[in-house]
Amino acid sequence: MHVVMFADQHLESLGGAQVSMRLQKRFLERAGHVVTVVAPRLHRDAPHDPGYLDLPSLAITPDREYALTWPGARTDRFVDAEMGARLPADVVHVQADFWGAFIGHRYAARHGLPVVHTMHNRVDVGIEATAPFPRVVLRALNAWARRALRGTTAARRDPRGYASPAGQSEPPPLRARGASTARASTDAESAGAEPPSAADGWAYLRRLARLSRAVTAPSGHFARRLERHGVSEAVDVIWNGIDDDVLDAALADGHVERRPGRPRFVWLGRMSPEKRLLPFLEAVAVSGIDAEVEIIGGGAQLRAARRAVERLAPAASIVFSGRLPYAETLRRLADADAVVQTSIGFETQGMTVFEAASLGTPAVISDPDIAAELGSGTWTVPDATVSALAETLRHAAHDIAAGSAVRPDPSIAERFRQSSRTAAMIAVYERAVSAGR
């Protein structure tokens, strides 16, 4: 098949979805398929791939890391002209939430192609954390979607739905569909975890899903929310995978015995408000732990984070390592005593903790849904306060120093290989294509 993916941001830019899509592309090609990725042109030097179709774009962040391409007739003509020189497309895979989604759905409608849409993000949570007037922003986004998607028609759906048959395209979930996890999600929402902008956010995702022949999500807890809010009747759970080659190389080194000394924590991610880096740094200081803390990644809050460390003067040593190559990032995770993930309600999978668990590294997790999905090898923060995070860090540091750290499920390394995730996605593509015949 020729799979045409649409993204909001260039695959060489910083972000978990971009990492996942790069892996998907490589493993689909390894399986004999052709992949074209349509995304805004990146405004800095980056590796080029002949499978990338770079759209004219405007940089939208001061560091020029992210860009926007306006969806409209001019962009449509550009995409059609560029795609005309490539193999005919078989299926469109939209992995975008904003302009990339509009451009992709418009392209599919013009050419009568089936769409598989992967919902990567809780747009309402992200906008709630970053925009001063989130409900206004989401209502404007819905209006933009109505205008940009005018003329596109709802996809014909297979009346059987798209749920993955148990044991076929999806391996046995860790705790993806357990009743206890579903109850935890429902309780969290009823307790006010849903932001005020949630209704507009779910309406927006429903609008995109109506144009799709299949909807996928990268975790069981997010799939259940999508179903519960009427985004799709049935959602395929296709986990973001871990690079087989890098994982094999890391596992070939054998189990890394903990070196004596201070506990080593790693925080990894984009430095933006919804990731809660600043509360994490405050919690490190409040906890008083004598530990090594490595911060990997970049983003708009880097300066604020450095200033916070200077102001708080924690007992722990904190090092900012910047952005690292994927293989080196996994090596740092394997060498750490624990990875820390502090976002709450935003992550639709929480890939970092699964990567760490595949390498035998446990996690401190603030989001109860992600902790429940991982199932073992976690210190779970009981609530969203800095004091609760600080106490959990103290607990983890004590366990690590005593040699009694929690251990992840060893089967995770096999369940999350990208090769198995690619096989699951190919099955979804085939169903989507055959449903339109």
Side-chain angles (χ1 to χ4, degrees):
M1 287 184 287
H2 180 190
V3 180
V4 184
M5 296 182 179
F6 286 81
D8 285 322
Q9 297 302 332
H10 197 282
L11 261 59
E12 300 298 334
S13 66
L14 183 68
Q18 294 90 304
V19 171
S20 174
M21 291 179 70
R22 288 202 303 268
L23 277 178
Q24 292 173 39
K25 178 179 183 297
R26 181 153 61 85
F27 277 78
L28 281 166
E29 290 169 342
R30 184 177 293 185
H33 303 283
V34 176
V35 181
T36 298
V37 181
V38 184
R41 179 178 66 85
L42 193 62
H43 290 258
R44 61 170 177 78
D45 292 336
H48 180 69
D49 186 301
Y52 293 164
L53 196 172
D54 293 351
L55 302 175
S57 68
L58 174 70
I60 57 173
T61 55
D63 60 0
R64 303 175 70 80
E65 183 71 16
Y66 303 111
L68 177 150
T69 295
W70 190 262
R74 180 178 297 180
T75 297
D76 292 345
R77 289 192 296 269
F78 182 89
V79 173
D80 288 349
E82 292 291 323
M83 288 299 300
R86 300 178 185 235
L87 291 173
D90 295 294
V91 62
V92 168
H93 189 175
V94 173
Q95 302 199 59
D97 301 293
F98 306 110
W99 45 89
F102 304 160
I103 296 166
H105 281 293
R106 287 167 66 103
Y107 174 77
R110 289 196 306 277
H111 298 279
L113 294 168
V115 178
V116 174
H117 193 133
T118 294
M119 301 287 182
H120 276 289
N121 294 309
R122 280 283 306 274
V123 295
D124 57 312
V125 177
I127 289 174
E128 188 84 26
T130 57
F133 302 103
R135 297 195 73 177
V136 173
V137 172
L138 274 165
R139 287 173 181 173
L141 185 61
N142 273 291
W144 188 18
R146 284 194 296 271
R147 179 172 180 176
L149 298 173
R150 187 179 299 144
T152 56
T153 56
R156 287 185 295 148
R157 291 181 176 272
D158 183 341
R160 296 168 301 174
Y162 289 93
S164 301
Q168 183 174 320
S169 61
E170 180 63 26
L174 298 180
R175 291 178 64 181
R177 301 241 178 220
S180 62
T181 308
R183 166 59 69 183
S185 295
T186 303
D187 289 347
E189 290 180 3
S190 64
E194 293 272 290
S197 57
D200 296 307
W202 294 119
Y204 177 72
L205 294 182
R206 285 194 292 270
R207 186 182 307 279
L208 297 178
R210 282 198 300 268
L211 302 174
S212 310
R213 195 164 283 159
V215 174
T216 78
S219 69
H221 69 82
F222 187 43
R224 283 190 301 276
R225 287 195 179 198
L226 291 170
E227 293 168 352
R228 206 160 43 236
H229 289 278
V231 174
S232 182
E233 302 88 5
V235 179
D236 280 283
V237 179
I238 310 290
W239 306 88
N240 292 325
I242 300 166
D243 189 326
D244 292 43
D245 302 333
V246 175
L247 181 58
D248 285 339
L251 295 176
D253 293 335
H255 177 69
V256 178
E257 294 296 332
R258 182 181 180 274
R259 297 195 311 268
R262 306 162 82 195
R264 299 183 307 282
F265 293 94
V266 169
W267 187 98
L268 167 63
R270 183 177 63 253
M271 297 178 186
S272 53
E274 71 277 6
K275 298 290 187 176
R276 299 182 68 239
L277 171 59
L278 299 183
F280 167 65
L281 295 174
E282 185 177 352
V284 170
V286 170
S287 71
I289 58 173
D290 182 20
E292 298 174 12
V293 177
E294 182 176 22
I295 310 295
I296 301 174
Q301 288 194 320
L302 175 58
R303 289 184 180 177
R306 291 184 182 278
R307 288 196 298 268
V309 172
E310 293 176 1
R311 173 175 54 83
L312 295 166
S317 60
I318 298 179
V319 175
F320 291 87
S321 298
R323 299 164 182 166
L324 299 176
Y326 180 72
E328 177 61 18
T329 298
L330 290 190
R331 192 189 71 76
R332 302 287 178 97
L333 290 178
D335 196 45
D337 292 312
V339 64
V340 182
Q341 188 171 81
T342 46
S343 58
I344 302 173
F346 175 75
E347 309 292 342
T348 54
Q349 179 178 352
M351 186 62 191
T352 301
V353 299
F354 289 94
E355 290 171 328
S358 296
L359 299 165
T361 301
V364 174
I365 302 178
S366 293
D367 191 314
D369 279 333
I370 297 173
E373 200 127 41
L374 193 58
S376 65
T378 71
W379 293 275
T380 304
V381 184
D383 59 54
T385 62
V386 168
S387 60
L389 178 54
E391 178 57 33
T392 306
L393 289 171
R394 278 193 292 265
H395 185 191
H398 174 271
D399 289 350
I400 291 165
S404 57
V406 295
R407 293 186 178 275
D409 183 343
S411 71
I412 293 175
E414 295 303 317
R415 296 185 186 196
F416 288 85
R417 286 181 177 273
Q418 181 59 47
S419 54
S420 71
R421 305 303 78 231
T422 294
M425 188 59 78
I426 290 171
V428 175
Y429 292 156
E430 290 173 343
R431 292 203 311 276
V433 171
S434 64
R437 290 174 179 164

